[in-house]
Amino acid sequence: MDEKTIRSAVPIVPAVLLIGCILAAFATHGWDMQATLFAEDPAEATKSLMEFGSGAPGGESEFFKFNDVDISGDRVTVKLDVQSPLNMPITVKELSADIPVGDGIGMVSLPAPVTIPAKGSASLNLEGTTPDAGAIPDPHAQKNPAVRNMEMVLNISGIELSIKQPRGVGGVS
Amino acid sequence: MNRVNIPGAIAGVLTLILPFLGAWWSLTLGTDAIVVTASPFETKTIIFGNYIASPLFEWFCLGLKLGVTYLGALLIAGSILPAMNRNEDLAKVFINFASRKLLWLVLIFVVALVIFVLLLNQASSVLPVKIDIPFPYLVWTRSLSADMVNMGIVIPICAKFTYAFGVAVIAAISGAYSCIYQEKL
């Protein structure tokens, strides 16, 4: 290769490399503009996150499900299944809720932080005491009473999120 | 040996390894809840463990990676050719072409980052959580907290340059100086 050819080729090579790579991007994605611009639909990617946020706490949500309420003596235990749509672990640091027991309202809370694995689920056992055990004639007759006034503190990889169910609004059963 | 363009050779070696050193700048929300890492050779956005990718941008970055590797090879060739008493004119062509390109790349990268951060600052004014990014915009650490209706949020945020950016600056300055040095040879 003579010097003149090299001189003229030197400034052209980077442009050829860049244009070649851009053409390769389209060629490897069937010349489809949207597939080349985005690996996956951005709307789909954010959908699960939005559903998780809007469903917690209270309301109809596939991510939060109260499974079982057990009242024995003066102890109330509520089992809550939480499913995480995120690709990273979530730590439930605090969780408390009010639960109607007999004529009174009992409060249940999470005894210790629980970590929900990435894209996984965890069962949270909320524990508390009944307001007045003597006032309940048959505690086991109370099946799945509505849980309300739920408050929780989540830690998502260093981001701390406190969520509070509006007072007196709805309930989760 | 005394005819080797030493700044050019240093710039060439650093330019060759630069595309493989990773990100030049990173923005982290939480510990790793949202991570944005950027360099001209790769930009990654990871939101809650989901990698947001654009194949077109990745291929474009690959083109830049190859282009910068090519510049590194030209700088090395242009720096050592005079010592071999061969093709001195060609060496000058190589150095003249490759010496200032990395400096421009670094400057464009910094300007683009500043524009991105300022746009982020503007966009945050319509969100419930106002970020209010402090000067000098690209290096800062703070914890944001906001209280909304029935919701509170605390987000530690950290923006910083990595050592790879330092290598890029050294390579860019050495490259620019190699052009002046070449005249003295």
Side-chain angles (χ1 to χ4, degrees):
Chain A
M1 200 184 288
D2 64 348
E3 198 177 307
K4 201 178 168 190
T5 313
I6 295 173
R7 274 172 187 269
S8 47
V10 163
I12 297 168
V13 172
V16 170
L17 289 172
L18 263 184
I19 293 166
C21 283
I22 290 168
L23 290 175
F26 283 99
T28 52
H29 290 83
W31 302 97
D32 180 344
M33 178 64 91
Q34 189 171 347
T36 312
L37 281 175
F38 304 106
E40 60 174 315
D41 188 356
E44 281 293 315
T46 53
K47 194 180 161 195
S48 61
L49 299 178
M50 299 302 288
E51 281 175 355
F52 181 76
S54 63
E60 293 298 315
S61 170
E62 60 185 288
F63 303 111
F64 296 87
K65 192 183 276 180
F66 280 94
N67 264 347
D68 196 18
V69 178
D70 183 45
I71 303 167
S72 53
D74 64 342
R75 304 290 304 167
V76 184
T77 308
V78 179
K79 195 175 165 194
L80 171 66
D81 285 339
V82 186
Q83 184 147 11
S84 170
L86 303 182
N87 266 336
M88 52 176 41
I90 300 174
T91 302
V92 183
K93 289 177 75 178
E94 296 169 23
L95 203 160
S96 64
D98 289 345
I99 183 164
V101 182
D103 294 331
I105 301 282
M107 202 186 99
V108 288
S109 60
L110 196 65
V114 174
T115 300
I116 306 161
K119 290 268 183 193
S121 60
S123 278
L124 312 183
N125 287 313
L126 310 180
E127 296 171 6
T129 53
T130 55
D132 181 5
I136 308 161
D138 181 8
H140 294 286
Q142 296 260 335
K143 290 290 178 194
N144 296 331
V147 174
R148 49 177 82 116
N149 299 333
M150 197 157 78
E151 292 182 18
M152 69 166 95
V153 179
L154 305 175
N155 188 308
I156 308 167
S157 286
I159 294 181
E160 202 156 287
L161 191 64
S162 317
I163 309 171
K164 204 182 279 184
Q165 191 179 11
R167 289 262 152 198
V169 174
V172 182
S173 53
Chain B
M1 185 65 189
N2 59 355
R3 298 206 65 214
V4 172
N5 184 336
I6 294 166
I10 292 169
V13 172
L14 292 179
T15 306
L16 267 182
I17 61 168
L18 198 56
F20 309 100
L21 295 183
W24 290 9
W25 181 79
S26 72
L27 174 72
T28 311
L29 277 74
T31 48
D32 58 352
I34 297 176
V35 182
V36 179
T37 56
S39 81
F41 316 116
E42 58 172 24
T43 296
K44 285 183 182 167
T45 306
I46 301 165
I47 300 174
F48 296 118
N50 293 307
Y51 177 50
I52 311 293
S54 166
L56 178 63
F57 193 69
E58 283 175 357
W59 278 94
F60 179 78
C61 287
L62 177 66
L64 279 178
K65 209 179 247 188
L66 293 171
V68 168
T69 308
Y70 168 72
L71 291 179
L74 283 187
L75 278 170
I76 292 173
S79 301
I80 60 171
L81 277 177
M84 297 160 75
N85 293 319
R86 289 175 59 190
N87 297 326
E88 289 192 26
D89 289 342
L90 209 55
K92 206 171 270 185
V93 170
F94 289 171
I95 293 289
N96 282 342
F97 178 76
S99 59
R100 292 191 188 90
K101 295 283 185 297
L102 193 62
L103 188 64
W104 281 111
L105 191 66
V106 171
L107 288 175
I108 291 168
F109 177 77
V110 172
V111 170
L113 264 189
V114 170
I115 291 169
F116 164 76
V117 171
L118 289 176
L119 286 175
L120 195 70
N121 217 9
Q122 288 293 314
S124 75
S125 61
V126 296
L127 297 174
V129 184
K130 177 134 176 58
I131 297 178
D132 197 18
I133 296 165
F135 187 81
Y137 307 125
L138 301 180
V139 183
W140 49 281
T141 303
R142 67 167 40 184
S143 186
L144 300 175
S145 56
D147 285 311
M148 293 159 271
V149 182
N150 299 313
M151 198 182 271
I153 192 162
V154 179
I155 313 171
I157 305 184
C158 175
K160 63 180 180 191
F161 282 109
T162 67
Y163 80 99
F165 180 74
V167 174
V169 170
I170 294 168
I173 293 169
S174 304
Y177 182 63
S178 70
C179 196
I180 302 161
Y181 195 89
Q182 188 80 5
E183 299 296 323
K184 293 178 186 170
L185 286 177

